[in-house]
Amino acid sequence: MATAVTPPRGMRDFLPADKATRERALGIIRGSFAAHGFDEIETPVMEDTARLHSGLGGDNEKLGFAVLKRGIGPADLVAAADADDLLSLTDLGLRFDLTVPLARFYASHRAELPTVFRSIQIAPVWRAERPQKGRYRQFVQCDIDIIGEAGQLAEIELIAATVAALNNLGLTGCSIRINDRRILTAMLATWGVPAELSERALITLDKLDKIGVDGVVTELAGLGIDTAGLADTLTGFSDAGWPDLADAPAWLDAAAYADLLSLRAALPGVALEFDPTLVRGMGYYTGTIFEIKHPDLGYSLGGGGRYDGMIGRFLGTEVPACGFSIGFERIVDLLAGSDDDTAAAVVLVHEKDADPAALVALKATLVAQGLRVRLEKRTKNLKALLERAGSLGYGRFAVVTNDSVDPAELVFKNLGD
């Protein structure tokens, strides 16, 4: 029986047309971020195990792929099993996000970087996810971060650059949901949630979109939290809008909310939606948090926030930081292939006995004129050949004979005609 020749589960091959769409999108995102003053960096695909599992990655640490040390013997395996510490057998792991590598990168190169560093990272990451639609074990993240800026300028620049990228991709109708971890902390305190249960309560609240108000209330009650009247409060959040600060409800941290109002005023062209139930699951967030909302989708297209405490774990001194990540795999699925460059992509259909040297010289002349050129040997089923070329982004074709090797004599026709 033949062995299956599919990629590993949760990982994918990309045919030329798909790859072309992805590269166009990545080019637009890179250009948008660079136009806003961000500089691209690159970090290794692997980091030290201790760094990846230091508590900086939240729940994603549980999904990391670990790399075994060299020279492990049976005694090492037994010892690790007895100690219930399989990570002791590893020294490296594949990165599960780009934030932990960035924190290490900044700690390594701080002396060579500007006081306020604006970074771009666009690269694959790996997580041991349960593969399903929209969730893969290898996927691309597109991150921008600002390190060293404690004021709101960081959030403003990040949101503005991200919205510009979405607009340049042609994704209309998106909005940015926004909240602040300080508001969540004050909310839990108002509900009487003990400090030791805060993180578990936030994990439950973060599932509001999935399990609904009743599900959240039931889970919180299961933690021993008094949920009297909580269902009405949560239901009221769905149309909370931007409440007047003067009439703010008891659970709303006034200082944090005033900061959000300032952000909204600084971004008049951006659709910002205040959502007091927005949590963002990563425990390292310390202030403003945000997510990209699409009107036709029930999941976010990216998000981020302020994480002022992370880099200090490496340096021993606090460094303010804020980041925004675009969920590239989800976004690229929404994009249609662009035909902007099809007119400049041509196919030269030649006979089997055409002179190779003449074909290559003709091709070189057209390439020098700025065209993308593909040579195709004529087949009996010319229609199928042209359809395949069209699916790969070519827009025109010409038939080359031994007598038509002069570019001026070529007659180009549109592939769709």
Side-chain angles (χ1 to χ4, degrees), residues 341-416:
D341 300 323
T342 56
V346 301
V347 178
L348 300 182
V349 180
H350 61 87
E351 300 298 337
K352 180 175 60 175
D353 59 350
D355 179 17
L359 286 175
V360 171
L362 176 60
K363 177 180 179 180
T365 301
L366 295 176
V367 169
Q369 295 174 5
L371 297 178
R372 176 186 174 203
V373 185
R374 184 185 188 96
L375 296 174
E376 286 282 2
K377 187 182 298 182
R378 184 166 192 146
T379 61
K380 290 183 178 179
N381 191 345
L382 180 60
K383 180 179 179 182
L385 184 154
L386 296 178
E387 286 178 348
R388 183 174 66 250
S391 71
L392 296 175
Y394 292 87
R396 297 183 297 155
F397 78 100
V399 176
V400 181
T401 67
N402 289 331
D403 298 324
S404 61
V405 292
D406 184 345
E409 297 177 0
L410 294 176
V411 178
F412 284 102
K413 297 180 181 179
N414 292 329
L415 281 171

Side-chain angles (χ1 to χ4, degrees), residues 197 200 204 215-227:
L197 294 179
R200 292 181 64 187
T204 296
V216 169
V217 171
T218 300
E219 282 200 17
L220 292 179
L223 296 176
I225 297 169
D226 182 4
T227 58

Side-chain angles (χ1 to χ4, degrees), residues 253-266:
D253 182 289
Y257 185 64
D259 287 344
L260 297 185
L261 291 174
S262 296
L263 280 177
R264 184 176 67 156

Side-chain angles (χ1 to χ4, degrees), residues 29-349:
I29 293 170
R30 277 192 170 94
S32 302
F33 290 164
H36 282 254
F38 291 81
D39 298 309
E40 189 161 6
I41 64 171
E42 184 174 330
T43 58
V45 302
M46 292 191 288
E47 297 282 350
D48 290 341
T49 295
R51 185 171 300 119
L52 290 172
H53 295 272
S54 61
L56 299 179
D59 287 343
N60 287 334
E61 293 186 7
K62 302 174 185 176
L63 300 175
F65 285 101
V67 179
L68 292 175
K69 297 175 183 176
R70 297 180 65 184
I72 291 175
D76 300 307
L77 298 175
V78 172
D82 289 344
D84 194 21
D85 183 14
L86 296 182
L87 279 177
S88 66
L89 299 172
T90 73
D91 54 359
L92 298 171
L94 290 172
R95 62 189 177 207
F96 47 73
D97 71 6
L98 298 176
T99 306
V100 174
L102 173 64
R104 196 270 312 151
F105 174 92
Y106 183 81
S108 299
H109 301 282
R110 186 181 186 185
E112 307 159 65
L113 298 173
T115 304
V116 177
F117 178 50
R118 296 167 174 84
S119 76
I120 304 171
Q121 281 192 99
I122 298 178
V125 299
W126 293 265
R127 296 178 190 171
E129 295 272 12
R130 186 187 301 275
Q132 54 186 292
K133 182 176 174 56
R135 285 190 178 273
Y136 306 102
R137 288 177 172 173
Q138 177 180 318
F139 55 96
V140 172
Q141 285 190 333
C142 303
D143 286 15
I144 46 174
D145 293 81
I146 298 180
I147 301 175
E149 173 56 63
Q152 282 196 329
L153 180 60
E155 285 93 327
I156 294 169
E157 285 197 271
L158 289 166
I159 294 173
T162 300
V163 170
L166 296 175
N167 289 339
N168 292 337
L169 287 167
L171 292 176
T172 59
C174 292
S175 57
I176 307 295
R177 299 166 64 206
I178 193 166
N179 197 13
D180 194 295
R181 296 286 289 201
R182 293 171 292 171
I183 291 175
L184 291 167
T185 299
M187 181 188 298
L188 295 184
T190 302
W191 295 349
V193 178
E196 63 272 17
L197 294 179
S198 292
E199 284 304 317
R200 292 181 64 187
L202 287 178
I203 291 172
T204 296
L205 185 61
D206 197 30
K207 296 188 287 186
L208 181 61
D209 291 343
K210 299 181 180 69
I211 64 177
V213 170
D214 291 341
V216 169
V217 171
T218 300
E219 282 200 17
L220 292 179
L223 296 176
I225 297 169
D226 182 4
T227 58
L230 186 55
D232 291 338
T233 300
L234 292 174
T235 301
F237 286 157
S238 62
D239 57 356
W242 287 86
D244 191 317
L245 187 57
D247 300 320
W251 52 262
L252 188 59
D253 182 289
Y257 185 64
D259 287 344
L260 297 185
L261 291 174
S262 296
L263 280 177
R264 184 176 67 156
L267 294 161
V270 176
L272 284 182
E273 298 180 7
F274 172 53
D275 186 347
T277 65
L278 177 63
V279 174
R280 298 289 301 164
M282 306 305 290
Y284 53 64
Y285 288 124
T286 57
T288 316
I289 48 178
F290 27 74
E291 280 190 353
I292 303 169
K293 177 183 176 182
H294 189 278
D296 299 328
L297 303 175
Y299 48 80
S300 74
L301 295 178
R306 183 165 283 280
Y307 54 98
D308 291 336
M310 179 183 288
I311 295 174
R313 297 274 292 274
F314 293 109
L315 288 177
T317 179
E318 292 302 311
V319 179
C322 193
F324 208 144
S325 177
I326 286 179
F328 179 72
E329 306 300 345
R330 290 178 170 179
I331 279 179
V332 77
D333 286 344
L334 299 174
L335 303 179
S338 171
D339 59 0
D340 293 345
D341 300 323
T342 56
V346 301
V347 178
L348 300 182
V349 180

